Amino acid sequence: MTATTHDHSDHSHEAHHQKGFVERWLMSTNHKDIGTLYITMAVIGACVGGVLSIIMRQQLMYPHNNIITSGAAWNAIITAHGLIMIFWFVMPALIGGFGNWFVPMMIGAPDMAFPRLNNMSFWFLAAGFVFVMIGLLLGNGAGAGWTLYPPLDNAQYSPGMATDFSLFSLHLAGISSLLGAINFIATILNMRAPGMTMHKMPLFCWAILVTAFLLLLAIPVLAGAITMLIMDRNFGTSFFEPSGGGDPVLFQHLFWFFGHPEVYIMILPAFGIISHVVSTFSRKPIFGYLGMAYAMVVIGFVGFIVWAHHMFVSAISTDSKVYFEVATLVIAVPTGIKIFSWIATMWGGSIEFKTPMLWAIGFIFLFVIGGATGVVLANAGLDQELHNDYFLIAHFHYVLSMGAAFAVFAGFYYWIGKMTGHPYPEFWGKVHFWTFFIGVNLTFFPMHFLGLAGMPRRYPDYADAFAGWNYVSSIGSIISGVSTLVFFYVLYAVFTSKESLADNYWGEGATTLEWAVPSPAPHHTFEDVPVIR
Amino acid sequence: MKRCITSALGVAGLLALFGHAALAQATATDPSAAANVYVNAPHNWQMWFPAAGSPMMEKIDWLMKFVLWIMTGVVGFVALLLAYVFIRFRAGRNKVPSTVTHNTLIEVIWIVVPTLLLAVIVIPSINLIYYEADTSNPYLTINVTGHQWYWEYSYPGVAGGLDYTSYMIPDNQIQPGEIRRLSVDHPMVVPAGKKIKFVITSADVLHGFYMPSLGMQRYAIPGTNLTQWTIIPKVGTYYGQCNQICGVGHDAMPIEIKAVPLADYLNWVKYAQANYQ
């Protein structure tokens, strides 16, 4: 793989310094600037969503607690926490952020295929964030849960505009994701450097490509569902209204036809990042590259035909349950391929335990735990007992709050030097990892016990018998919160650092194209088309 | 696991004694009082399912242990592999990394073995699905309707009819022997040892009819009837809660089911017809 010439990049570096703040950040067409905007959005989203989660854990620390006294406020908080963490933290961090920054660089492209569309994607998302915040704060707030099930959020049971704002925020986030997906697909399929065949393409690009197809097929279904909901609320239709011949169960089908691929939309880019980090710090190429790439394709495909496993206690037939259970369990096989291939990549390697690697290892281990409870929940017969209780909450926070979020941090520590040109403080990075690891495990592991004991989700107050583990869990959330302050110190240290970094500061283990350009990556990455091998 | 359950039983037993003594006076005329001898409610620091109150829950408990042991084995195996890799292949000990990136045999193994494990899980699991769906030949059918924020129980087969509402006891009116957030004013009463069929629906938004100790859960959906069934062999009191977000009172509509001997049940029907409706 070849590097660009430094003269050229220095020149272009100058060119962008001449742009004013408004022109550079509000009218940005550069994939790195837009990536930075997305990451900023993700930091804001994570802070808001995280503060909401700490408020919830404070309320749940003791039974009969009085932090949140209104049920409406509680429901608005749980709804906003879910929506914000998904659409304004995990997705912008992994797809819009790291995807924008590194997909073009990794495939040797000068930028994304449609730079202005790229800018538009970001601002739709930013506008969506304003809307979801209005949904949280206006009146009683939008409080039907992130799954938005009618009839609870129809005009009768959720009057007021807050719910409409939340629904429109999903439209905006959806348009943003859709345009972003189109852009990624066009970029990856058309703009790879000569010699970069699909089967030589880095796994992160494969991950983003599969994710983009999932978005392309799933988002329109969500858009249709929430449009029908908005029509029911405001224009007197009755798509989901039994008294008018509609059916609330239809919404559940439509929502989860989007919602299940959505969980893979959040985790596939994470898989991509983990592959790069594991390979880099083992100083070995990824084991079973083709298996890794096609495992993601299979996960993406099967992810579309398992949606009703979210509805095992809703209105589906017994035979459908059998089908959806078996199809769901099948996903464990390609996921197993990924886990074992990461371990095989480390096998025989020369492993350095730098901060990004710690996050990647944490990801692998905790994701396996979340996957194991996922296999449990896939059993329709067991889901009848565990559906919607804290066992489920524990499961999906193990795969998202520990899976996806750990991958976000792995990517951050891995690439922050490439993005800023400055190293992060290794010691504080490790402090961040260990405190966060302890915090999230203390928060979410006891939730398995609460769920087994039968504690339902979305409760601001619970029977006194659930007090013990709730208290432990709330202590864990405080530790995670403090850990996040350490992360902000790391950010501060990076941006005030005077040290600069070499092109490839991770050494021989890092082989993708972003390591062939200077750190920070110049405003225009490749002045000349790089040739692969 | 066994220890968890025995301690669960122990605590439940203590609760039952306490509850029995306290309730004896207040409910002297209530024919469902027999159910106070055994209270199946969650207890602090509980780490496993409630003690199974129905054959269905026994099967769920068994399958859960079966699947969880397999998955614990998988997690443990991965943890061991990771630990070995970290010790054996850390940079300080293994300075020159290998360049191996393929091994067809191992790649086939890690596809085939997980598939076999899943097959082992699927067979008892599918049996359980059909078992749970078998609502045939009930002794008694009860219609359960969710409302914001209470449950309505009706006994369509009972002579003279019986239809009443069941509200949570508010926190400030809890009497000794009642459980805050779980006890209700008018519990559902069923004959112990008989097959009961529930027809579950909602009058407004979605609710969730969730009885963890009986292994039952269905959404209550307006315009749709979903069914569940149970047999409660042991005379006693069993608790559950609404498990689908339904608005500001979501956490304030618990379910209390009392299983009593058949004769007591028949007396209770008359009592309820006079006092509940």
Side-chain angles (χ1 to χ4, degrees), chain A residues 223-233 237 239-240 250 254:
Chain A
I226 59 179
T227 302
M228 286 188 254
L229 208 47
I230 290 167
M231 301 274 284
D232 274 11
R233 285 180 59 81
T237 58
F239 291 106
F240 308 126
L250 171 64
L254 294 174

Side-chain angles (χ1 to χ4, degrees), chain A residues 10-321:
Chain A
D10 286 346
H11 174 71
S12 51
H13 224 64
E14 254 166 56
H16 88 81
H17 277 303
Q18 288 160 1
K19 280 187 192 167
F21 178 87
V22 170
E23 196 186 346
R24 179 166 180 197
W25 294 111
L26 301 189
M27 304 176 203
S28 186
T29 51
N30 181 286
H31 72 103
K32 299 188 194 75
D33 285 350
I34 294 173
T36 304
L37 287 169
Y38 267 110
I39 292 172
T40 311
M41 178 81 256
V43 171
I44 295 169
C47 288
V48 175
V51 166
L52 292 178
S53 74
I54 288 174
I55 293 173
M56 290 189 286
R57 282 293 357 143
Q58 285 300 305
Q59 163 68 17
L60 293 172
M61 197 160 181
Y62 305 100
H64 202 19
N65 208 355
N66 286 316
I67 309 276
I68 306 290
T69 48
S70 128
W74 175 263
N75 288 345
I77 289 173
I78 59 150
T79 305
H81 167 75
L83 292 176
I84 289 172
M85 283 303 201
I86 294 165
F87 291 96
W88 287 277
F89 164 46
V90 173
M91 289 173 69
L94 290 173
I95 306 168
F98 295 137
N100 254 309
W101 255 95
F102 294 104
V103 164
M105 266 196 251
M106 283 179 174
I107 62 172
D111 204 311
M112 294 287 281
F114 309 116
R116 281 181 206 287
L117 196 69
N118 205 7
N119 189 30
M120 211 158 104
S121 307
F122 173 75
W123 288 105
F124 269 121
L125 188 73
F129 186 69
V130 175
F131 273 41
V132 81
M133 288 308 287
I134 295 174
L136 168 65
L137 300 169
L138 183 73
N140 276 333
W146 87 278
T147 49
L148 307 166
Y149 283 176
L152 184 57
D153 66 353
N154 71 16
Q156 186 183 353
Y157 299 106
S158 295
M161 285 172 71
T163 301
D164 294 299
F165 271 104
S166 280
L167 294 172
F168 275 112
S169 83
L170 288 188
H171 262 319
L172 291 171
I175 295 169
S176 159
S177 300
L178 208 50
L179 299 183
I182 291 166
N183 215 342
F184 277 118
I185 292 171
T187 308
I188 292 171
L189 294 185
N190 296 310
M191 294 176 65
R192 282 169 288 128
M196 174 75 72
T197 58
M198 288 299 279
H199 284 175
K200 279 186 182 172
M201 195 167 73
L203 284 173
F204 181 61
C205 303
W206 266 104
I208 292 287
L209 181 66
V210 177
T211 303
F213 273 105
L214 296 190
L215 283 167
L216 197 67
L217 297 171
I219 293 283
V221 179
L222 173 72
I226 59 179
T227 302
M228 286 188 254
L229 208 47
I230 290 167
M231 301 274 284
D232 274 11
R233 285 180 59 81
N234 299 295
F235 303 110
T237 58
S238 51
F239 291 106
F240 308 126
E241 182 55 57
S243 61
D247 188 356
V249 181
L250 171 64
F251 182 86
Q252 297 169 23
H253 278 290
L254 294 174
F255 182 84
W256 288 112
F257 190 87
F258 146 81
H260 198 76
E262 173 68 24
V263 307
Y264 296 108
I265 287 164
M266 288 189 277
I267 208 66
L268 286 175
F271 284 172
I273 291 172
I274 299 304
S275 293
H276 288 237
V277 172
V278 165
S279 160
T280 297
F281 293 95
S282 307
R283 284 202 282 147
K284 264 185 71 189
I286 200 77
F287 186 95
Y289 165 86
L290 280 182
M292 287 293 251
Y294 285 99
M296 289 194 282
V297 175
V298 171
I299 291 172
F301 175 76
V302 183
F304 269 105
I305 51 173
V306 297
W307 74 91
H309 68 214
H310 297 269
M311 300 166 58
F312 280 151
V313 303
S314 185
I316 63 167
S317 75
T318 310
D319 292 340
S320 316
K321 282 184 202 177

